[in-house]
Amino acid sequence: MTSRKPDDDIPAAGERASLEQLVRWRRDVRRFKRDPVPEALVEELLRLADLAPSVGNSQPWRIVNVGDADLRAKLARNFEAARTRAGEGYSGDRADLYGRLKLAGLDAAPVHLAIFCDHGVLQGHGLGRHTMPETLDHSCACMVTVLWLAAREAGLGLGWVSIVDPSEVAKMLGVPPDWKFVGYLLLGWPEEEHLDPELERHGWQPRTAFETRYFTAGVSPLGREAKSPRPAEENGAGKVTLVGAGPGDPELLTLKALYALQSADAVLFDDLVAKPILDLIRPGARLIDVGKRGYRKSCKQPDINAQMVALAREGLNVVRLKSGDPLIFGRAGEEIEACEDAGIAISVVPGVTSAQGAAANLKVSLTNRDHARRLQFITAHDRHGTLPKDIDWSAVADSAATTVVYMPKRTLSELTQIALVHGLDPKTPAIAVANATRPDERVFISTIGAIAAVLDAAHPEGPVLVMIGEALRYATARDAAKQGRDIAVAHGVLPEKS
């Protein structure tokens, strides 16, 4: 049964619904009538929802009523872009079904509500969330559930839109930085009623038995025989592991990374991954060069995401191999999101960062307690290959900080000039390292005022990073201590001995 009939267990007009009826009829509504909802009724429902329980009585939810037509149009475009990106992770019949599903009612719903969780909330004095800060988010979910049930009792439907870019939504609405986006809710009179969820009705995913989610402690191992299989396993899909290959020296590879490479069925690797590391991959595994390399022709990120998901859907154990650590300027977030959206199990194996490898070879402490109070990593180019506009230049100019600049080749001159304008001493030590930890590693010891010219003259091949800060003052290049000292003295980095 998919549509409401007169003999369905639904209360008659004027008859109050039971809690069970409300829960059973609480469905994610995506098809709305355009009839307006009285403002007084909306306020009544929101005030009911505001009575929801919250950790420490913190009431962290923040509700933004989006009535402006231009904002709604921008949010609709954001949804369509996110929907398209998510759709690229599916193939075959699943992709066709995804394309037919109506996943939002943005065009017709008369009421749009953006829900945020205020992570800076002072109310509640932190009670109950010192050990579990995520309970703030859970509290917001409780509020949405109360709103959902209250709307259902009033004959209204509510839809929760999650296929949007949270950061873009927050930016569009101009909310404070402590507000975390929870969801975009649509409220209105439902165009049609159904006993079963649309995703189940159209064959996307059926509900499973309650017993698969209920356990008794001490009777049997939890999460095994009785546990419902994950959607990925149910579809015969494999898994994805993001693996950090480190800066290049294969001996810096972690044991966990090595195990992942030796059990992989397919490996998608970047150009910057050193060949000796590729030689450690299990014989017979499919090797796919996805060529992520700055300023050069590369595979597009959505294509990599789609290929990664498609291979996992074939039931393969997929490794996405990245230079350094995948979570540091490695676009890991986009790949994790693609897998999660597709229902593919994903895990991450961290790697030694290029900064760590370079510092180790230089035998220099990046956090020398006599010179550094902070270590910061920044990127020297944004999505468009230009110097990011939002760099905190006061932090870069801080004499008590060590700054490591990733991917600086094209923008280093601009970066150093701006840093000097913001007060960074031009004699601050700066070291550029190309191909850190590899046999062809090259080290350039200079100052922040001259490092761009030194690097431009040398024009080194391969990945480069630049380290800046007083903690580097006594660093010398491996196997070139004399040369390093001479350069440092020439630039006034080290005092000449009397």
Side-chain angles (χ1 to χ4, degrees):
M1 185 187 304
T2 59
S3 59
R4 181 182 291 186
K5 295 181 179 180
D7 58 347
D8 286 339
D9 188 19
I10 300 300
E15 182 181 343
R16 196 172 184 84
S18 70
L19 177 61
E20 180 180 354
Q21 289 170 330
L22 290 176
V23 171
R24 288 186 179 278
W25 277 87
R26 186 221 56 73
R27 296 301 180 211
D28 195 351
V29 176
R30 300 184 181 89
R31 304 174 195 278
F32 297 91
K33 297 178 182 178
R34 296 182 182 274
D35 299 350
V37 179
E39 291 184 13
L41 177 56
V42 174
E43 182 176 348
E44 178 185 344
L45 297 177
L46 292 178
R47 287 185 178 276
L48 278 173
D50 194 59
L51 298 175
S54 59
V55 60
N57 200 26
S58 56
Q59 296 176 280
W61 46 82
R62 302 293 180 261
I63 305 168
V64 180
N65 194 321
V66 183
D68 182 82
D70 289 339
L71 282 175
R72 288 189 179 189
K74 289 180 181 179
L75 283 157
R77 289 194 293 272
N78 186 283
F79 165 80
E80 289 300 336
R83 174 185 166 90
T84 299
R85 287 196 300 272
E88 292 170 349
Y90 300 111
S91 60
D93 293 341
R94 182 67 62 176
D96 293 337
L97 178 54
Y98 178 88
R100 294 196 302 272
L101 289 173
K102 183 174 178 63
L103 299 176
L106 292 160
D107 53 340
V111 180
H112 290 214
L113 303 170
I115 309 300
F116 295 86
C117 180
D118 185 356
H119 279 225
V121 63
L122 297 178
Q123 183 170 329
H125 308 290
L127 178 64
R129 48 191 162 101
H130 288 295
T131 54
M132 293 181 63
E134 63 270 23
T135 50
L136 283 176
D137 298 324
H138 301 166
S139 299
C140 291
C142 287
M143 184 279 294
V144 173
T145 299
V146 173
L147 177 60
W148 222 319
L149 296 175
R152 182 64 270 174
E153 185 181 48
L156 290 164
L158 187 145
W160 188 331
V161 181
S162 60
I163 307 177
V164 287
D165 185 327
S167 61
E168 286 298 317
V169 173
K171 183 178 178 181
M172 285 179 203
L173 300 180
V175 302
D178 284 340
W179 290 17
K180 176 184 176 183
F181 181 69
V182 174
Y184 196 79
L185 306 184
L186 304 174
L187 189 66
W189 307 106
E191 191 175 75
E192 55 190 24
E193 301 274 15
H194 296 279
L195 286 173
D196 49 357
E198 182 172 353
L199 294 182
E200 183 175 351
R201 190 164 62 254
H202 291 287
W204 182 265
Q205 176 64 57
R207 291 187 67 83
T208 53
F210 165 74
E211 289 73 20
T212 63
R213 293 178 294 280
Y214 179 75
F215 306 93
T216 302
V219 174
S220 61
L222 302 184
R224 291 190 180 177
E225 293 82 6
K227 186 175 180 181
S228 175
R230 291 179 310 213
E233 295 169 349
E234 198 172 275
N235 295 332
K239 63 179 183 178
V240 172
T241 306
L242 302 187
V243 174
D249 183 349
E251 293 185 358
L252 293 178
L253 204 66
T254 67
L255 285 175
K256 194 168 186 177
L258 181 61
Y259 295 153
L261 294 179
Q262 294 185 343
S263 62
D265 298 313
V267 178
L268 286 74
F269 64 94
D270 290 341
D271 281 342
L272 297 181
V273 175
K275 187 178 183 305
I277 292 175
L278 298 179
D279 292 339
L280 298 174
I281 296 172
R282 179 182 69 83
R286 293 165 63 177
L287 299 182
I288 304 168
D289 183 353
V290 293
K292 294 303 301 175
R293 196 162 188 178
Y295 307 114
R296 300 189 183 184
K297 187 176 181 180
S298 307
C299 291
K300 294 181 179 179
Q301 189 62 51
D303 295 336
I304 297 174
N305 297 347
Q307 189 168 23
M308 191 170 57
V309 168
L311 290 168
R313 288 190 179 280
E314 294 177 18
L316 302 182
N317 183 1
V318 182
V319 165
R320 175 71 176 98
L321 188 61
K322 295 171 168 288
S323 178
D325 184 297
L327 302 177
I328 297 180
F329 302 124
R331 300 189 183 181
E334 297 168 56
E335 295 174 349
I336 291 170
E337 181 182 7
C339 289
E340 290 181 340
D341 286 347
I344 299 297
I346 184 167
S347 58
V348 181
V349 178
V352 173
T353 69
S354 299
Q356 291 171 318
N361 275 3
L362 288 164
K363 303 179 183 65
V364 59
S365 170
L366 298 177
T367 56
N368 185 305
R369 65 179 181 175
D370 292 329
H371 300 289
R373 301 292 178 269
R374 185 175 71 255
L375 172 63
Q376 55 196 9
F377 295 169
I378 66 172
T379 176
H381 81 246
D382 57 17
R383 285 178 177 269
H384 309 292
T386 58
L387 189 67
K389 305 297 184 185
D390 55 357
I391 292 176
D392 184 347
W393 293 107
S394 63
V396 175
D398 184 359
S399 61
T402 301
T403 303
V404 180
V405 186
Y406 281 72
M407 297 166 283
K409 278 188 175 179
R410 285 195 177 181
T411 61
L412 184 59
S413 179
E414 182 183 1
L415 184 149
T416 55
Q417 289 174 19
I418 297 176
L420 293 176
V421 168
H422 281 79
L424 186 61
D425 187 339
K427 292 187 177 181
T428 301
I431 302 177
V433 182
N435 301 309
T437 79
R438 306 184 189 203
D440 58 347
E441 176 184 280
R442 297 180 67 186
V443 176
F444 307 89
I445 299 180
S446 185
T447 64
I448 188 62
I451 190 64
V454 170
L455 201 61
D456 185 58
H459 196 63
E461 288 293 323
V464 172
L465 61 79
V466 173
M467 299 180 287
I468 306 164
E470 290 297 324
L472 310 175
R473 185 167 291 278
Y474 297 97
T476 56
R478 181 187 59 184
D479 301 326
K482 176 68 167 60
Q483 178 187 6
R485 184 175 179 81
D486 289 346
I487 295 175
V489 170
H491 290 286
V493 181
L494 288 177
E496 295 190 64
K497 292 184 179 180
S498 56

